[in-house]
């Protein structure tokens, strides 16, 4: 069959069908590209914001650790450690629970020359160890903080400047702070530096999952990685394009890259959009193919001789600009084409409906977003998603449609619209909820065009919880958590402000500080626990609320308060103190428990004695401690008290050094045989001759040693010097053929219960050549009333070494004759209160006689101390007391004098 050219109707149908199919494909390609591109941009912005949020959390962690480190850096004990040294510092302060409570993993102290003084770090076995040498070198290297310390020492950097940042610590990253150490008044030169460290992996991101919106990981980088910081942030997909990852750079303390912070987020919006576009593409593709085939079939059947008429009709249709459907008669090609065009118009309507369905699906997609979305047109909300309704506490997003933007924005709208016009897109502001409350939000504004008008797309994130946490942190920085009162730092700021103001004002207003110390508070804590103790503190605060203006009251320590009073008369301040003391003597009922407390109040009036707030508060605190012995429990800070405080400060300052260099030494008071009145031994008594103050009584410096936790070191020093004296005395007496003497040494409660006492005694016995039975350790009755099994065990261990034990001051404390039977004692020392009346009081005489008889029946030796008169001596000799001690015979003497005396006196038989 000869070839026949295609008919015009066939060519026209093919061209029309192919063109329609090509147009559909091109539209779908462009729609898919722009739609998915917008979704990709939205997700990239979200994941970048989440990454920057995580970086901000790390920066906040650095700032918080630096702020907290000042509490230790501006502490007198820390200053003393780096300037003068303190061998017991780490035992008191650097224990495991303390470091855990401070949220740090390691701590180190450097002196002014950059030398490491002390270092501790926690281990997985819940203990602390010194920082290993390798880690110390890494920490103090130029890549660590060594460069900063060297720069400060050489004067190339501000020595008082604190630093914080990240450093590499083996395979981990350490949050480190370098803080200059000064005294608590911050008026001393820098004595050294405090280093705090915390492993970043221990807290991030595990402790911040509630505020972080994405999954975050840290990837360590090294200089060999050649990281270019200018290329960051980097956003890229992973895991077959199902997860979007944003990477930002974290710099170390020197500004060099140390790690990349990766924030990942599933591409849910992009994935759903891509699936939706795929379904739409398939649907339109099938529809286009069907339409093309139908059109080709119709044209081939109907297009013929009237094609020219069809052309004229189409021209008419073009001139009519498709304003009305084509109307044709008959049943030919023209009518069919007209029908097809009419069908195309109908298809356009259906396509609009299909696009509307697509828009509905897109709306459903954006309603699932975690961010609140608002579409604002002409100042009114035209669209809001469910997340937006949830943020503003509306039942549904539809409730917001029609609301004016001014009704949701509680502030003047003009500054907001002006900033948007100027190009600003991100705002930290507040929106008004349905119940009238204000919600803290982060607002991102995107201007768009809709319906030939300018509209605003608002992306809203609820940051109220974050703001509340920030406010709570600020509250905790300034105020006490249990009572809401000012803390010590805030109290000092308020007092300093009032003092500065009074300096410039010419009025005669006096500023007074009343320091209230609650006595017996630790008994409440020990008996009922910390929760009840906090409730008691709140009850005390409420009690004081009725006496004073509580806005000027601060809680400056666990059981101590301070109150600022402005008054025209000093007598008004005393009346306030008396009123508060009376109120606090009344019983409190807390958790159905009746608690009886009392208060000691120190009162300080602003004067030249206390020119600064810190000095005024310290003076008030010292006065409060002195008020314990005052009849009214109120102590006014006077020049006499100021001198006592100065001496107390000197004792506090020089105590540790005096123990180390031997300035606190033993004097020895002879013990006299009651039968022969010859020397049979000595008692060691601690003495301190201070170069500034002069002689300091043990009554003053021993409580200081106990409060400073130096009593064990002091006891060891006196004990060792006494052992050396005992060895020398008995060694020389043995050479002269004289019998040995004994030495009595007093032990404090902490020293007696210390775990190193027994090893120390063994060391003394090995170091000094004397027989153990010639050393007697004196204990007080108060040391025997607690933990009886432990006391008996410790006493038995001492007795097992051959050392003797004596009960000192018998009859003054918790005396019970059963003590003589219950504990393994060798000697009983009668208190001087019995001896004072023994020559004139028949009852005292009978009591001493009874005690002596029972002690002898138990095989115990009796020593009478405090003998000052001849009648007392004769009475005690009549009662057959074995040994005497008192000023009637000898006063305490230096070791050299006692040695000379001992070599002149023959020993008595035991």
């Amino acid at each position: 069959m000869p070839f026949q050219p295609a008919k015009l109707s066939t060519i026209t149908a093919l061209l029309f069908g192919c063109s329609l199919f090509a147009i559909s494909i091109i539209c779908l390609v462009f729609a898919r590209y722009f739609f998915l591109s917008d979704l990709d941009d939205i997700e990239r912005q979200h994941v970048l914001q989440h990454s920057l949020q995580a970086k901000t959390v790390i920066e906040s962690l650095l700032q918080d650790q630096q702020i907290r480190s000042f509490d230790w850096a501006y502490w007198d004990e820390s200053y003393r450690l780096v300037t003068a040294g303190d061998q017991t510092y780490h035992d008191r302060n650097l224990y495991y629970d303390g470091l855990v409570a401070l949220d740090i993993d390691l701590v180190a102290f450097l002196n002014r020359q950059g030398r490491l003084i002390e270092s501790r770090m926690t281990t997985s076995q819940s203990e602390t160890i010194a920082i290993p040498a390798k880690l110390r070198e890494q920490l103090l290297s130029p890549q660590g903080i060594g460069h900063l310390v060297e720069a400060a020492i050489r004067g190339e950097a501000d020595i008082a400047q604190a630093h914080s940042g990240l450093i590499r610590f083996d395979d981990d990253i350490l949050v480190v702070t370098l803080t200059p150490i000064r005294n608590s008044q911050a008026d001393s030169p820098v004595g050294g530096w405090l280093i705090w460290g915390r492993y970043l992996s221990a807290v991030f991101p595990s402790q911040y999952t509630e505020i972080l919106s994405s999954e975050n990981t840290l990837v360590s980088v090294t200089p060999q990685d050649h990281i270019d910081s200018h290329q960051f942030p980097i956003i890229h997909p992973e895991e077959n394009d199902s997860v979007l990852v944003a990477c930002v750079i974290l710099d170390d303390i020197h500004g060099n890259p140390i790690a990349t912070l990766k924030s990942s987020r599933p591409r849910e919006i992009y994935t759903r959009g891509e699936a939706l576009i795929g379904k739409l593409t398939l649907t339109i593709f099938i529809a286009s193919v069907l339409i093309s085939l139908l059109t080709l079939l119709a044209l081939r059947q109907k297009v013929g001789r009237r094609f020219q008429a069809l052309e004229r009709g189409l021209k008419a249709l073009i001139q009519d600009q498709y304003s009305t459907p084509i109307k044709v008669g008959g049943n030919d090609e023209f009518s069919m084409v007209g029908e097809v065009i009419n069908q195309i118009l109908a298809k356009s309507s259906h396509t609009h409906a299909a696009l509307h369905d697509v828009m509905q699906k897109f709306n459903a997609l954006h309603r699932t977003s975690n961010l609140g979305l608002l579409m604002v047109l002409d100042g009114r909300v035209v669209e809001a998603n469910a997340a937006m309704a949830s943020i503003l506490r509306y039942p549904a997003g539809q409730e917001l449609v029609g609301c004016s933007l001014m009704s949701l924005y509680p502030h003047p709208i003009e500054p907001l619209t002006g900033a948007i016009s100027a190009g600003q897109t991100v705002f930290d502001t507040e929106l008004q909820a349905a119940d009238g409350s204000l919600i803290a939000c982060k607002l991102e504004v995107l201007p768009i065009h809709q319906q030939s008008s300018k509209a605003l797309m608002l992306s809203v994130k609820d940051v109220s919880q974050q703001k509340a946490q920030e406010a709570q942190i600020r509250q905790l920085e300034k105020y006490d958590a249990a009572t809401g009162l000012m803390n010590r730092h805030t109290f000092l700021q308020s007092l300093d402000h009032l003092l500065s103001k009074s300096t410039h004002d010419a009025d005669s207003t006096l500023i007074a500080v009343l320091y209230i110390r609650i006595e017996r508070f630790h008994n409440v804590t020990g008996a009922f626990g910390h929760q009840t103790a906090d409730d008691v503190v709140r009850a005390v605060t409420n009690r004081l609320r009725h006496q004073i203006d509580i806005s000027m009251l601060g809680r400056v320590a666990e059981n101590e308060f301070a109150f600022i009073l402005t008054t025209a008369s000093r007598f008004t301040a005393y009346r306030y103190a008396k009123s508060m003391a009376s109120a606090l003597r009344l019983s409190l009922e807390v958790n159905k428990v009746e608690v009886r407390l009392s208060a000691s109040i120190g009162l300080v009036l602003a004067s030249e004695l206390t020119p600064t707030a810190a000095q005024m508060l310290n003076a008030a605190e010292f006065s409060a401690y002195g008020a314990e012995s005052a009849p009214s429990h109120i102590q006014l800070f006077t020049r006499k008290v100021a001198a006592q405080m100065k001496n107390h400060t000197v004792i506090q300052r020089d105590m540790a050094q005096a123990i180390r260099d031997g300035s606190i030494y033993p004097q020895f008071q002879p013990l006299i045989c009651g039968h022969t009145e010859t020397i049979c031994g000595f008692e060691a008594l601690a003495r301190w001759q201070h170069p500034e103050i002069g002689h300091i009584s043990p009554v003053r410096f021993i409580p200081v040693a106990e409060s400073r936790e130096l009593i064990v070191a002091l006891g060891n020093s006196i004990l060792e010097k006494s052992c050396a004296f005992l060895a020398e005395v008995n060694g020389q007496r043995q050479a002269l053929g004289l019998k040995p003497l004994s030495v009595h040494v007093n032990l404090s409660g902490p020293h007696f219960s210390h775990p190193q006492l027994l090893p120390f005694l063994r060391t003394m016995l090995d170091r000094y050549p004397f027989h153990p039975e010639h050393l007697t350790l004196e204990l007080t009755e108060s040391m025997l009333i607690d933990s009886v099994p432990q006391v008996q065990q410790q006493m038995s261990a001492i007795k097992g070494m051959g050392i003797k034990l004596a009960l000192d001051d018998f009859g003054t404390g918790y005396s019970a004759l059963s003590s003589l039977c219950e504990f393994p004692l060798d000697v009983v020392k009668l208190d001087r209160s019995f001896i004072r009346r023994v020559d004139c009081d028949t009852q005292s005489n009978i009591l001493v006689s009874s005690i002596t008889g029972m002690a002898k029946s138990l095989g115990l030796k009796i020593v009478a101390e405090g003998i000052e008169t001849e009648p007392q001596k004769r009475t005690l000799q009549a009662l057959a007391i074995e040994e005497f001690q008192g000023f009637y015979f000898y006063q305490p003497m230096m070791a050299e004098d006692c040695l000379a005396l001992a070599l002149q006196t023959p020993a008595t038989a035991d």
Side-chain angles (χ1 to χ4, degrees), residues 587-775:
S587 63
L588 297 168
E589 185 173 346
V590 178
N591 298 334
K592 299 181 179 180
V593 175
E594 183 178 357
V595 179
R596 290 188 176 272
L597 303 172
S598 61
S600 299
I601 300 178
L603 173 58
V604 177
L605 300 174
S607 66
E608 71 278 2
L609 295 175
T610 55
T612 67
Q615 291 173 335
M616 198 169 180
L617 185 61
N618 289 339
E621 181 178 2
F622 183 80
S623 299
Y625 278 86
E628 292 183 17
S629 57
S632 63
H633 286 255
I634 300 172
Q635 175 67 61
L636 177 65
F637 188 75
T638 62
R639 292 188 181 275
K640 180 179 179 181
V641 178
Q644 294 173 356
M645 179 179 174
K646 180 180 179 182
N647 291 343
H648 181 76
T649 303
V650 172
I651 293 173
Q652 290 270 11
R653 180 195 67 194
D654 297 341
M655 169 66 72
Q657 183 61 36
I659 295 173
R660 286 194 296 270
D661 61 20
S663 297
I664 301 179
Y665 56 88
Q667 286 188 347
F668 299 92
Q669 186 176 25
L671 299 175
I672 306 301
C673 176
H675 178 65
T676 63
E677 297 189 20
T678 57
I679 296 176
C680 60
F682 298 91
E683 179 180 2
L685 302 171
R687 295 293 183 264
W688 187 4
Q689 187 69 26
H690 194 276
E692 297 179 21
I693 304 175
H695 175 70
I696 303 175
S697 170
V699 176
R700 294 176 60 188
F701 68 75
I702 288 180
V704 174
E706 291 177 344
S707 66
R708 292 279 309 280
E709 297 185 4
L710 296 172
I711 191 65
V712 174
L714 174 60
N716 284 341
S717 175
I718 298 299
L719 182 57
E720 181 168 6
K721 288 180 173 63
S722 300
C723 290
F725 171 76
L726 176 60
E728 185 175 4
V729 167
N730 285 344
Q732 294 193 30
R733 283 178 65 87
Q734 183 180 6
L736 296 175
L738 300 176
K739 290 188 177 182
L741 304 180
S742 64
V743 170
H744 291 225
V745 181
N746 292 279
L747 290 187
S748 64
H751 195 186
F752 175 71
S753 59
H754 197 273
Q756 292 301 314
L757 175 62
L758 297 179
F760 185 80
L761 290 173
R762 295 188 186 96
T763 301
M764 294 298 100
L765 294 176
D766 294 338
R767 181 177 300 172
Y768 298 104
F770 64 87
H771 199 280
E773 67 177 5
H774 297 140
L775 176 63

Side-chain angles (χ1 to χ4, degrees), residues 433-550:
D435 56 6
S437 61
L438 299 182
I439 308 297
C441 299
K442 181 175 288 292
L443 186 66
E444 186 173 355
V445 181
L446 178 64
I448 60 174
H449 292 276
Q450 181 171 341
Q451 299 176 359
S452 302
S453 299
K454 291 184 178 180
L456 297 176
M457 174 65 78
L458 305 182
S459 174
V460 181
K461 181 179 180 181
D462 183 0
V463 295
S464 56
Q465 185 177 6
Q466 178 182 344
K467 295 291 185 182
Q469 291 174 347
E470 293 173 355
Q472 185 179 8
I473 292 173
R474 290 193 296 270
Q475 174 75 11
L476 293 176
E477 288 176 350
K478 296 184 178 181
Y479 298 94
D480 176 55
T483 62
L485 301 177
M486 295 182 288
N487 59 19
R488 192 180 190 95
H489 178 71
T490 307
F491 182 88
L492 284 171
Q493 286 183 332
S494 300
L495 180 57
D496 184 67
H497 173 73
L498 288 175
L499 291 175
S500 301
K501 183 179 178 182
S502 66
T503 302
H504 297 91
D505 294 344
D507 59 12
S508 59
T509 301
L510 292 175
I511 298 176
V513 171
L514 285 75
Y515 199 98
I516 306 103
R517 182 174 180 270
I518 307 300
E519 299 174 2
R520 299 193 300 274
F521 181 79
H522 294 291
N523 295 341
V524 175
T525 304
F528 304 106
H530 290 283
Q531 181 60 49
T532 300
D534 286 344
D535 293 338
V536 169
V537 169
R538 283 187 281 269
V540 169
T541 304
N542 291 332
R543 179 69 59 84
L544 293 176
R545 190 188 304 274
H546 300 292
Q547 308 293 325
I548 59 175
D549 177 11
I550 203 169

Side-chain angles (χ1 to χ4, degrees), residues 122-274:
T122 61
T123 67
S124 59
Q125 289 76 31
S126 299
E127 60 182 10
T128 63
I129 61 171
I131 299 178
K134 177 182 178 182
L135 299 185
R136 289 201 306 269
E137 293 174 1
Q138 197 170 355
L139 179 64
L140 299 177
S141 68
Q143 291 75 25
I145 61 171
H147 178 71
L148 298 174
V149 174
E150 290 296 328
I153 293 174
R154 293 194 300 268
E156 299 173 0
D158 185 3
I159 192 171
Q161 177 67 39
H163 302 275
S164 63
L166 305 177
I167 64 172
R168 191 179 317 283
F169 210 69
D170 283 345
D171 296 329
D172 207 338
I173 296 174
L174 190 69
V175 179
V176 66
T177 57
L178 178 67
T179 310
I181 298 177
R182 307 177 74 176
N183 64 10
S184 59
Q185 283 77 31
D187 54 4
S188 68
V190 173
W193 290 271
L194 168 66
I195 303 171
W196 272 12
R198 185 76 192 270
Y199 286 107
L200 182 59
S201 61
V203 294
F204 183 87
S206 59
Q207 294 185 8
Y208 298 94
T209 55
E210 293 183 0
I211 63 173
L212 297 177
S213 304
S214 298
E215 182 178 352
N216 297 274
T217 56
L218 289 172
V219 179
S220 179
V221 300
T222 63
Q224 290 74 23
D225 295 330
H226 303 293
I227 297 298
D228 186 2
S229 300
H230 299 291
Q231 296 179 354
F232 287 81
I234 297 174
I235 304 174
H236 62 276
E238 290 182 355
E239 298 182 12
N240 297 327
D241 209 26
S242 62
V243 175
L244 197 60
V245 177
C247 299
V248 297
I249 282 292
L250 294 179
D251 294 330
D252 64 11
I253 198 169
H254 303 295
N256 301 318
I258 190 172
T260 57
L261 175 60
K262 296 178 64 177
S263 299
S264 58
R265 176 188 176 93
R267 305 194 69 181
E268 298 176 354
I269 298 177
Y270 185 90
T271 303
R272 295 181 183 179
E274 188 175 40

Side-chain angles (χ1 to χ4, degrees), residues 688-907:
W688 187 4
Q689 187 69 26
H690 194 276
E692 297 179 21
I693 304 175
H695 175 70
I696 303 175
S697 170
V699 176
R700 294 176 60 188
F701 68 75
I702 288 180
V704 174
E706 291 177 344
S707 66
R708 292 279 309 280
E709 297 185 4
L710 296 172
I711 191 65
V712 174
L714 174 60
N716 284 341
S717 175
I718 298 299
L719 182 57
E720 181 168 6
K721 288 180 173 63
S722 300
C723 290
F725 171 76
L726 176 60
E728 185 175 4
V729 167
N730 285 344
Q732 294 193 30
R733 283 178 65 87
Q734 183 180 6
L736 296 175
L738 300 176
K739 290 188 177 182
L741 304 180
S742 64
V743 170
H744 291 225
V745 181
N746 292 279
L747 290 187
S748 64
H751 195 186
F752 175 71
S753 59
H754 197 273
Q756 292 301 314
L757 175 62
L758 297 179
F760 185 80
L761 290 173
R762 295 188 186 96
T763 301
M764 294 298 100
L765 294 176
D766 294 338
R767 181 177 300 172
Y768 298 104
F770 64 87
H771 199 280
E773 67 177 5
H774 297 140
L775 176 63
T776 301
L777 301 182
E778 295 189 3
L779 314 177
T780 62
E781 293 176 272
S782 61
M783 296 160 56
L784 307 181
I785 63 172
D786 294 326
S787 302
V788 172
Q790 290 82 351
V791 171
Q792 291 177 334
Q793 181 179 2
Q794 185 84 330
M795 294 177 71
S796 298
I798 295 174
K799 291 275 292 181
M801 299 181 189
I803 299 172
K804 293 184 177 180
L805 295 173
L807 181 60
D808 193 17
D809 298 333
F810 181 76
T812 60
Y814 304 88
S815 299
L817 295 177
S818 61
S819 300
L820 303 180
C821 304
E822 190 174 359
F823 299 99
L825 298 169
D826 299 288
V827 180
V828 175
K829 298 188 72 175
L830 293 177
D831 184 67
R832 64 184 66 246
S833 61
F834 289 111
I835 308 306
R836 190 181 303 119
R837 302 189 303 270
V838 73
D839 60 334
C840 59
D841 186 347
T842 304
Q843 292 182 344
S844 297
N845 197 315
I846 295 173
L847 182 59
V848 171
S849 177
S850 300
I851 295 174
T852 302
M854 188 181 70
K856 288 183 176 180
S857 299
L858 296 173
L860 302 179
K861 181 185 293 184
I862 299 294
V863 178
E865 58 182 349
I867 300 175
E868 298 180 355
T869 66
E870 176 71 21
Q872 291 174 351
K873 183 198 74 169
R874 288 198 302 269
T875 302
L876 293 171
Q877 283 178 330
L879 294 174
I881 302 297
E882 287 95 331
E883 294 183 3
F884 299 155
Q885 179 182 354
F887 286 175
Y888 175 77
F889 298 101
Y890 297 98
Q891 293 190 2
M893 297 181 292
M894 297 297 293
E896 296 82 1
D897 298 331
C898 289
L899 177 60
L901 185 63
L903 297 180
Q904 298 171 5
T905 305

